[in-house]
Amino acid sequence: MLDVFSNIRLLDLLDISIVAFIIYRIILLIKGTRAVQMLLGLAVILVVYLASRVGDLHTLNWFLSNFLSSIILVIVVIFQNDIRRALMHVGRNPFFGGMTYREESEVIDELVKASVALGNRKIGALIAVERETGINDILESGVQINARVTSELIRAVFMPNSPIHDGALVIQQGQLSMAGCFLPLSQSSDISKALGTRHRAAIGLTELADAIAIIVSEETGKISVAVNGGITRNLDATSLKKVLGRLLEPRKAKPKPKSSKKKG
């Protein structure tokens, strides 16, 4: 037993650690998405392939072996959006930039206040919030705003008489950057037929980018949040603030070390 451990080099441990870290990051990336179901499907195919070899099912084994020989291409096609999101993490940007914890918390409070006010009046809204990766390449058209996030301004954008109320309001680096933007619609067949265009656009954005979207239904006034291609519906002020706080993670300021004074 000691001979086995003595033959392990430091580079081998480093190699294993890097592979384990990559697998761990992949699991975190696909956690809570439909990619998990797809991976389970691929695992079932692999088990059937091994069973066909053991049971001498030559035709089935030939078919599955040809399928698995192109597994890399299959994975790239199936998980293209997740792979795109993972690669974009390399150049991540913090959502809040250089803002203080108080300013970060105020942004979340203003988003909650505006969403609840719009929901109470049954005014439809779609707010796209950029997180760690840029979404400029996904956005279509839009009017530049570049203003501080306030509940009043958000509500003004989505008023029915506003010329830009139909599109999405975009928040980048903790600032209102653009309004009236069109987002790509999700093509998923899993989306409930009860959800409208705003919800489908919100899910479509989060399928392509590491972003979140807040949706206020024009019909019911209900508030939803989309992230990673999924959607959480029927949120009130408390639950919305909790969800946004978890997804945006404002950074608490570290307490300053106390300076010790010498007694004279």
Side-chain angles (χ1 to χ4, degrees):
M1 180 67 70
L2 293 176
D3 293 337
V4 173
F5 285 107
S6 63
N7 291 330
I8 298 178
R9 301 177 303 162
L10 183 61
L11 286 177
D12 294 331
L13 293 176
L14 179 62
D15 187 22
I16 294 171
S17 300
I18 292 173
V19 172
F21 177 75
I22 292 173
I23 294 174
Y24 171 72
R25 295 303 301 181
I26 291 174
I27 293 174
L28 288 182
L29 181 67
I30 67 174
K31 182 181 178 182
T33 68
R34 290 168 308 191
V36 176
Q37 297 174 342
M38 296 179 185
L39 279 180
L40 291 175
L42 290 176
V44 170
I45 292 174
L46 182 60
V47 170
V48 173
Y49 168 72
L50 294 175
S52 68
R53 293 195 63 177
V54 174
D56 291 330
L57 302 175
H58 300 292
T59 305
L60 181 59
N61 181 260
W62 173 84
F63 176 78
L64 292 178
S65 63
N66 280 279
F67 173 78
L68 293 174
S69 64
S70 306
I71 193 65
I72 299 298
L73 181 61
V74 171
I75 290 175
V76 169
V77 172
I78 293 177
F79 301 114
Q80 55 182 318
N81 292 333
D82 301 281
I83 293 172
R84 181 176 183 270
R85 245 193 336 259
L87 292 176
M88 287 194 303
H89 268 70
V90 176
R92 66 171 66 187
N93 292 314
F95 165 68
F96 287 113
M99 300 175 70
T100 65
Y101 174 71
R102 180 179 178 181
E103 291 171 331
E104 294 168 2
S105 300
E106 286 177 355
V107 169
I108 293 177
D109 289 339
E110 293 297 313
L111 286 171
V112 172
K113 194 187 305 181
S115 300
V116 172
L118 291 167
N120 289 337
R121 298 183 61 180
K122 291 188 177 180
I123 297 175
L126 174 55
I127 305 171
V129 185
E130 181 183 271
R131 289 201 292 174
E132 295 177 342
T133 56
I135 59 175
N136 287 334
D137 58 325
I138 301 174
L139 304 175
E140 296 180 19
S141 66
V143 178
Q144 290 287 338
I145 296 180
N146 297 328
R148 190 167 63 91
V149 177
T150 64
S151 172
E152 293 77 14
L153 186 52
I154 294 174
R155 283 181 285 168
V157 168
F158 291 109
M159 286 293 116
N161 57 351
S162 171
I164 50 177
H165 76 279
D166 279 334
L169 178 64
V170 179
I171 298 180
Q172 296 174 302
Q173 297 291 302
Q175 299 285 319
L176 294 175
S177 62
M178 290 184 287
C181 299
F182 292 100
L183 305 179
L185 299 180
S186 174
Q187 302 302 317
S188 173
S189 58
D190 298 331
I191 300 175
S192 170
K193 297 186 183 299
L195 299 180
T197 306
R198 282 193 181 92
H199 294 81
R200 189 170 286 273
I203 295 172
L205 169 68
T206 62
E207 286 175 341
L208 298 175
D210 177 36
I212 67 173
I214 305 169
I215 314 101
V216 180
S217 172
E218 189 174 351
E219 289 76 21
T220 64
K222 299 293 185 180
I223 303 171
S224 305
V225 171
V227 62
N228 292 332
I231 189 167
T232 303
R233 302 168 62 185
N234 301 328
L235 299 172
D236 57 15
T238 302
S239 55
L240 176 61
K241 184 173 182 178
K242 185 177 180 180
V243 169
L244 293 180
R246 175 173 55 83
L247 294 174
L248 299 179
E249 295 181 353
R251 297 152 299 180
K252 292 183 179 179
K254 295 180 180 179
K256 294 182 180 180
K258 297 181 179 179
S259 57
S260 58
K261 294 183 179 180
K262 295 182 179 179
K263 294 183 179 179

